[in-house]
Structures are given as C-alpha cells and as structure tokens.
Amino acid sequence: MEKLAVNGSSLATVDQGRGPAVVLLHAFPLDHTMWNAQIEALSAHYRVIAPDLRGFGESEVSEGTVTIAQLADDVAGLLDALEIGEPAALFGLSMGGYVALEFWRRHPTRLRALGLCDTRAEADSAEVSAARLATADRVLREGPRFLAETMIPRLFCRVSERTAGGVEPAYIGATRELILATDPRGIAAAARGMAERSDFTPLLGEIHVPTLVLTGEHDAISTPAEMSQLAAAIAHSWFVEIAGAGHIASLENPVETTGAMSAFLASVKEAERATGS
C-alpha cells in the first residue's frame, strides 16, 4: 500500500495492475481487504485502485462528521494524485455504494461504469438515522466491540455454521478482528455522515453509464428484492444475485462475485468497441 495526500488528509491505497482503472470502495466499518480476491483477479487485466476510505484501515482519521460527499471527493482527489485522467469503473459495496452514487453525481465525467453492490439508493429513515447517531456516540464511549458483535451476523449468512457446531469461515473471524482494530473516531465520523446522506431514488433514471447491480442471495440489509428494484430504475443495468452470500458478497462468494464483475467489465469494453467510444 501507499499513502497519498488527498484533500488535506492521508489515504492509504492499493494500486495494482495495468490497464483501464477500476476503483473498489469498501463497506462500513471495514477496509480495502474485503476486496482482496477481486484485487488479485482483476489486476491481471486492469489497474485496480482500492483505498481505505477516510477514517478506516491505514488512512488518516478525521473526527466529527465525514459526509458521503467528502468521501466521494476523496476518491476524485485520489485519482488526481495517481494521475488517472481517464474515466474509471467504480464499484462500491454498502457504504462504498453510497460513495459511488455520490461520485456519479459530483464527478460524472470521470465515470466509465458503475457497480452498486449490496447497497441502497434511498436515504435513511428517521429511525435508522437516529440509530447511526447513537452508534457514533456509543463507539466513542465503549469502543467497537459491541459493533462487531451486532454487525457480524448481519454481514454474513454463514455465521450460523459456528452456532450449529461447524467451523466458522476464516473471513468472518478476520472481519471481526478488523472491526475491533478500527479507530472509534473513524467509525463515528462515518456513521454520522451516513445518517445525513442524500436520497438518490429520484435520480436513478438519470444514470446513463453501464451499471452492475449486485447483491448476495441472502443479504438481509440490502435485500435482493430491493436491489432488483434499484436495477429496474437504471436504464443500462445488469442485475446479478450471488449465490450463498449475505451482505459482503465479495468475501462470502468471491469466485462468483469476481466473475460477475469481470463479465460486466468485459461487456463495457465490448460496447465501447462497438460504438467506437
């Protein structure tokens, strides 16, 4: 990883491979490692950029509130710092999907294709927004252990294997440790930012770049039914449901997730070739 100065902060990022730029944006409260399988596979054909968003992983923490707009501008600043001028394909999962939508609104000319994975377009309800603010306050008081305990069962459908007497998949334990190691200030700042994010539902029909809408078969947070409706509102969209996966499909079924992303990127290239763009 390298650390780059971006918008007054320091962002750690993976920059691997050569070719058209593909940016991968992680979920809350994780880091770029949730994309490790995709980084390895896609970098054989693309230049893969996978940052730790502000406040997470090895990136610098900003206290207070970090808005989704700030995170989207950080991605644009990161592309500048890496001297990537051509439009990029941008995939975001969960919180990363919120950032991807905001990037589309704020920096549309820099977008070649869009991937919305296990995410949603609508803003939080008043109840969910209040819960995020309460989480921000609690994590600053107590640390992130309660968050790991409550989130892990919602992130992965295979958590039940351990309770049923099976062996817990390694990625679940690694994710738990990652959450426990995350700076509470970064978690709180992002939670506050998500609580005030925009409603993109009325704007989905204005998205005209090729868009992959991907969801885990068993995602209880962004359900397949919700994601299917999101895809239906976007003119040039692919909808893919990943078998045997919950909310973090990239970890729970990395082979199928990577295959869907690769096929989508190949289709974007073929469409560009056909139109001479």
Side-chain angles (χ1 to χ4, degrees):
M1 295 192 75
E2 59 181 316
K3 293 189 177 182
L4 298 167
V6 175
N7 296 336
S9 188
S10 173
L11 292 189
T13 188
V14 168
D15 180 3
Q16 184 170 316
R18 298 179 64 182
V22 173
V23 181
L24 306 178
L25 304 178
H26 64 78
F28 171 90
L30 310 183
D31 67 8
H32 78 280
T33 58
M34 58 158 278
W35 293 112
N36 275 351
Q38 291 73 40
I39 294 168
E40 186 64 27
L42 294 176
S43 61
H45 303 285
Y46 302 95
R47 182 178 180 183
V48 179
I49 311 300
D52 288 343
L53 295 171
R54 184 185 291 247
F56 297 95
E58 296 183 28
S59 289
E60 186 175 345
V61 173
S62 295
E63 299 188 53
T65 300
V66 173
T67 65
I68 299 301
Q70 174 67 74
L71 295 176
D73 288 347
D74 282 350
V75 175
L78 180 62
L79 294 176
D80 289 341
L82 293 171
E83 299 182 345
I84 297 175
E86 73 276 9
L90 186 67
F91 293 86
L93 193 149
S94 195
M95 180 181 74
Y98 306 156
V99 180
L101 280 169
E102 193 66 63
F103 187 93
W104 163 75
R105 178 162 65 178
R106 298 172 73 84
H107 308 282
T109 62
R110 308 196 69 169
L111 198 59
R112 177 186 179 216
L114 185 62
L116 302 175
C117 309
D118 298 285
T119 191
R120 54 168 48 105
E122 63 267 27
D124 287 342
S125 66
E127 181 181 5
V128 172
S129 179
R132 291 199 197 276
L133 297 178
T135 292
D137 291 342
R138 184 177 176 185
V139 77
L140 290 174
R141 292 195 311 268
E142 302 178 13
R145 182 166 297 279
F146 79 93
L147 197 61
E149 293 173 353
T150 57
M151 286 196 72
I152 291 294
R154 290 172 55 77
L155 296 180
F156 302 110
C157 66
R158 295 180 64 193
V159 169
S160 59
E161 290 185 10
R162 185 178 66 162
T163 58
V167 177
E168 181 180 81
Y171 58 78
I172 295 179
T175 300
R176 182 181 294 107
E177 292 306 311
L178 175 61
I179 295 173
L180 292 174
T182 301
D183 192 311
R185 298 171 301 165
I187 293 173
R192 294 188 186 109
M194 288 190 292
E196 60 183 54
R197 64 191 176 81
S198 300
D199 183 2
F200 275 85
T201 305
L203 304 179
L204 294 177
E206 300 176 21
I207 297 176
H208 299 299
V209 294
T211 303
L212 172 67
V213 178
L214 180 150
T215 184
E217 175 188 13
H218 303 294
D219 190 340
I221 298 175
S222 304
T223 67
E226 291 176 300
M227 294 295 289
S228 178
Q229 291 178 348
L230 189 158
I234 301 174
H236 305 286
S237 68
W238 285 32
F239 176 68
V240 178
E241 189 173 307
I242 303 299
H247 191 60
I248 310 295
S250 63
L251 283 172
E252 206 146 25
N253 190 339
V255 172
E256 193 171 325
T257 299
T258 303
M261 294 167 69
S262 296
F264 170 69
L265 289 168
S267 77
V268 171
K269 183 177 180 179
E270 183 59 32
E272 290 173 344
R273 182 184 296 116
T275 59
S277 59

